Amino acid sequence: MKIIKQTLLAAVVSVAAVGTAQAAVLTTGALNSEGTQHFHCTLANLNTNASSSIMAFYQVIQNVEFIDGVTGTVSSSTGETTLGPGMSTNMIGTDTDNGYCRFTFKGSPKKVRAGMNVHNAVGDQVVAYLPAT
């Protein structure tokens, strides 16, 4: 009976570890803006089979968040979304002088490209970019 309990416990731990391993988190470093510049957190699905309906080519994005660098709190958040092959999502951070982006998703970090743009006050020009790692 003891062997059965140990085997069952090992199986439960293995399943829990597999479920946890599927979530990935990438973050950017913090950037400072000047005045009325805007932060944009962007994430792209690098899968290229755009005509495929196979779910393996889709990325489930659990959250794209902008973290206020002064308070350490989440200022803006997208919530869960699914990106098809070649698609991207963009979340605009709040007006703050300092912050970073955090990306939480299911799957491999090799299948996405994520980073933070700082746009000028008008929003028509990127003045800085920082990739997520």
Side-chain angles (χ1 to χ4, degrees):
M1 187 68 157
K2 185 176 181 181
I3 292 173
I4 294 172
K5 286 182 181 179
Q6 289 174 339
T7 304
L8 184 58
L9 178 61
V12 169
V13 170
S14 296
V15 170
V18 168
T20 304
Q22 291 180 354
V25 177
L26 296 174
T27 58
T28 67
L31 282 179
N32 291 320
S33 70
E34 294 184 15
T36 57
Q37 295 172 330
H38 307 283
F39 293 102
H40 292 239
C41 302
T42 57
L43 184 137
N45 179 353
L46 297 181
N47 287 304
T48 58
N49 194 350
S51 63
S52 178
S53 63
I54 300 171
M55 287 308 293
F57 292 104
Y58 286 71
Q59 288 291 329
V60 176
I61 311 306
Q62 294 168 317
N63 225 338
V64 176
E65 300 167 305
F66 179 75
I67 313 297
D68 186 305
V70 175
T71 65
T73 59
V74 176
S75 295
S76 299
S77 178
T78 62
E80 188 168 306
T81 187
T82 300
L83 295 179
M87 294 175 67
S88 65
T89 187
N90 181 25
M91 196 275 309
I92 299 173
T94 58
D95 292 334
T96 183
D97 293 330
N98 171 321
Y100 64 96
C101 298
R102 178 171 54 209
F103 307 89
T104 307
F105 54 95
K106 296 177 183 174
S108 170
K110 294 178 182 179
K111 301 287 185 180
V112 300
R113 194 70 73 234
M116 179 170 56
N117 296 318
V118 179
H119 290 249
N120 64 359
V122 179
D124 63 353
Q125 187 176 42
V126 175
V127 295
Y129 172 77
L130 191 60
T133 57

